[in-house]
Amino acid sequence: MTGGLREFFDSHRPLLLTVGLLEPEYDLPLQIEVLGLVRRRFPDAGLAIIGSGSLEERLRSQIEAASYGEHIRLCGDVDHDVTLQAIEACDIFLRTTLYDGDSISVREALQAGAPVIATDNGMRPEGCDRIPTANLAALQAAIERRVGEPRLRNPVEAAGTKNLEAMFAVYEELLRSVR
């Protein structure tokens, strides 16, 4: 990781991380808000957000307005290898969404052994803590529960092709119905 990002990671525990687009569907304001609640119990907590998108200025304003804004790092786009290092170094990986499909970053986090808290979209691989959509209390509870657990870095095996096979089965069934 680069110096500034490494320093941010090293100075925050627990370190929460999210990777994705800065777009409305990823409910990033929820993650920013939850950090304030989590810091009441864990005053050294921080949040790093990797990615870029249309909400960058709005999120930056929300962060600057928060009394704990200095503990949130809006990283922008970073190289994939740095992103993987960040995933490996984080204490909890977050994937909150209003709607979402399968997520490569969730799978990368699981394979790196990072605890993952994700909105339940019906497609999350095994190993994720699933929370309801747009639920601040559930996100806070899941984070605080994970922080209280001993840190086990047991990478999850690659999820395989289960979701892909299910998708092909649906396409095959649709093709049979139109023939």
Side-chain angles (χ1 to χ4, degrees):
M1 275 190 282
T2 61
L5 193 54
R6 168 59 60 202
E7 182 178 302
F8 184 84
F9 272 59
D10 289 346
S11 63
H12 291 91
R13 284 292 173 260
L15 191 286
L16 312 175
L17 173 68
T18 190
V19 176
L21 296 174
L22 308 184
E23 298 298 338
E25 57 267 28
Y26 298 107
D27 205 8
L28 296 169
L30 181 76
Q31 293 183 27
I32 293 167
E33 185 177 355
V34 82
L35 182 67
L37 300 174
V38 168
R39 284 183 56 80
R40 292 178 185 167
R41 186 165 168 202
F42 304 100
D44 293 329
L47 170 64
I49 302 171
I50 294 177
S52 62
S54 67
L55 295 182
E56 183 174 348
E57 288 309 311
R58 185 181 306 164
L59 294 173
R60 193 172 306 285
S61 293
Q62 182 184 359
I63 292 166
E64 289 172 1
S67 61
Y68 49 90
E70 69 191 75
H71 302 286
I72 301 171
R73 178 77 180 258
L74 199 53
C75 304
D77 290 328
V78 300
D79 290 337
H80 188 247
D81 62 327
V82 174
T83 299
L84 292 176
Q85 290 172 30
I87 290 170
E88 192 168 306
C90 77
D91 295 301
I92 299 173
F93 186 86
L94 302 176
R95 180 67 170 204
T96 57
T97 59
L98 300 175
Y99 56 90
D100 190 19
D102 195 10
S103 167
I104 292 171
S105 63
V106 165
R107 292 175 181 276
E108 288 173 329
L110 289 170
Q111 287 182 306
V116 175
I117 299 171
T119 304
D120 188 358
N121 67 358
M123 299 178 73
R124 299 291 182 212
E126 289 299 316
C128 293
D129 287 1
R130 295 172 182 92
I131 59 167
T133 302
N135 190 316
L136 182 65
L139 179 57
Q140 178 186 1
I143 291 168
E144 291 181 356
R145 183 179 59 253
R146 274 297 192 154
V147 170
E149 294 175 352
R151 181 57 187 255
L152 301 174
R153 278 289 189 182
N154 296 325
V156 173
E157 292 291 322
T161 61
K162 182 179 171 187
N163 284 348
L164 188 58
E165 290 170 9
M167 183 182 69
F168 281 133
V170 168
Y171 286 140
E172 288 173 347
E173 185 175 324
L174 288 172
L175 285 172
R176 279 193 297 273
S177 70
V178 295
R179 288 182 184 160

